Amino acid sequence: MNSNERDITLPQRSLRLTRRSFVAGAACAMAGLLVGCGSSSEPSKVAEIAPYVSPYDWAGLTRDGDKLEYFEDGELRSRWGIDVSEHQGNDIDWSAVADAGVQFSFARIGNRGATEGALSADEFFYQNAIRACEAGIEVSAYFFSQAINEDEAREEAEFALANLRETEAAGATFVSVAYDHEPVEIDGARANGLSGDQLTANARVFCEVIAAAGYKPLLYGNQRDLLRLSPELREAYPVWLAEYGAESPTAPFDFVIWQYTNAGSVPGIPTDVDLNLWLEPQ
């Protein structure tokens, strides 16, 4: 996954403020929550918005090299895992990966092309899923979407399901399937300019199709990506957050998996690999 910080287009409003109105507005922002601004004869109509409070106490986060663990009241409340694609190549030693303590893995099913829009399977999805299962590692999957509308999102979900079923017929089992839609730094990228409403609609359709087939959908992205989705959708499906280089996550919403680096090192994998902390043990 390529989930470094990216620019997105946000709606803007044109505002003209005099210095006096700016200062008055600032005073309202500070005092209006309690006593109101404007006419003293009317009660304040400004609703107080409570700050987001994480359900996790990050003081319980421990690090051992590249490995993270999360504890609550002295009890381990996390699992450690990776996600892989053809970018990790053909030489993963899954037995060594399991021996290193990796408990779960996400394998990329495939992607839609960013410019032409063609669907393609990840070259090593089949073998990564099969071999991870054989090594005793729990396997989930993800699809890299570039859908521009609901019809394409539904097509992606059906494509993902076809590949999942083929791999299951060979002995693999899958727990969750994640929807990964990101802007890409390619000239002519067809899905970079989608509205938040369209992204939400696409993600909802994909997740609904996946859920109807008996799998657990997830929503993947960094803060910018995920905040473009509606809060209702983020509440409907578990979230997989990508945030790198942070001592602890800073996202102002709930999530169950934290992808904390895209440059991790795990025995048995000859390249850098994404590392993840799953905060809801199964």
Side-chain angles (χ1 to χ4, degrees), residues 13-236:
R13 293 187 301 172
S14 176
L15 299 177
R16 296 184 62 190
L17 293 177
T18 64
R19 178 178 177 83
R20 179 177 298 176
S21 64
F22 175 82
V23 172
C28 277
M30 296 296 295
L33 296 178
L34 297 176
V35 300
C37 284
S39 172
S40 60
S41 63
E42 294 184 3
S44 171
K45 296 181 180 180
V46 179
E48 182 174 2
I49 300 175
Y52 172 76
V53 177
S54 173
Y56 308 112
D57 177 5
W58 297 117
L61 195 64
T62 67
R63 296 175 182 264
D64 181 7
D66 279 350
K67 183 178 182 179
L68 293 188
E69 292 182 319
Y70 174 71
F71 292 84
E72 287 184 358
D73 299 324
E75 180 182 354
L76 181 64
R77 297 292 301 275
S78 67
R79 294 181 295 142
W80 187 52
I82 61 176
D83 57 89
V84 296
S85 70
E86 60 194 30
H87 298 297
Q88 274 66 52
N90 190 35
D91 298 322
I92 297 177
D93 182 342
W94 284 100
S95 293
V97 172
D99 289 342
V102 169
Q103 296 164 289
F104 68 90
S105 175
F106 279 80
R108 189 178 74 163
I109 301 167
N111 67 286
R112 183 185 290 277
T115 57
E116 300 299 323
L119 297 176
S120 61
D122 187 283
E123 183 178 1
F124 301 128
F125 169 67
Y126 183 91
Q127 74 175 43
N128 280 335
I130 294 293
R131 293 176 181 175
C133 284
E134 290 174 345
I137 298 172
E138 179 186 281
V139 178
S140 292
Y142 73 95
F143 186 86
F144 187 93
S145 170
Q146 289 290 285
I148 61 174
N149 54 45
E150 293 99 313
D151 287 342
E152 288 195 351
R154 185 174 292 104
E155 182 185 31
E156 290 175 349
E158 295 293 353
F159 180 86
L161 290 174
N163 281 272
L164 290 168
R165 289 164 180 154
E166 178 184 357
T167 311
E168 285 175 329
T173 57
F174 298 93
V175 175
S176 299
V177 180
Y179 182 76
D180 172 12
H181 192 296
E182 309 171 34
V184 295
E185 297 179 359
I186 298 175
D187 289 340
R190 61 203 294 273
N192 278 4
L194 298 186
S195 68
D197 286 345
Q198 187 63 63
L199 286 172
T200 296
N202 294 351
R204 179 179 291 110
V205 166
F206 184 95
C207 289
E208 288 174 349
V209 173
I210 293 298
Y215 301 95
K216 299 176 182 179
L218 288 166
L219 299 169
Y220 169 89
N222 65 16
Q223 287 193 47
R224 290 183 182 180
D225 299 330
L226 293 166
L227 286 171
R228 299 188 69 199
L229 301 175
S230 72
E232 293 77 14
L233 188 69
R234 294 198 309 270
E235 292 172 2

Side-chain angles (χ1 to χ4, degrees), residues 234-280:
R234 294 198 309 270
E235 292 172 2
Y237 298 106
V239 168
W240 178 6
L241 170 70
E243 184 175 7
Y244 308 149
E247 287 299 312
S248 61
T250 64
F253 49 76
D254 290 349
F255 57 89
V256 298
I257 305 175
W258 176 26
Q259 184 187 78
Y260 57 90
T261 182
N262 63 346
S265 177
V266 173
I269 301 179
T271 66
D272 289 346
V273 65
D274 299 340
L275 301 181
N276 300 273
L277 192 68
W278 200 318
L279 293 156
E280 289 189 351

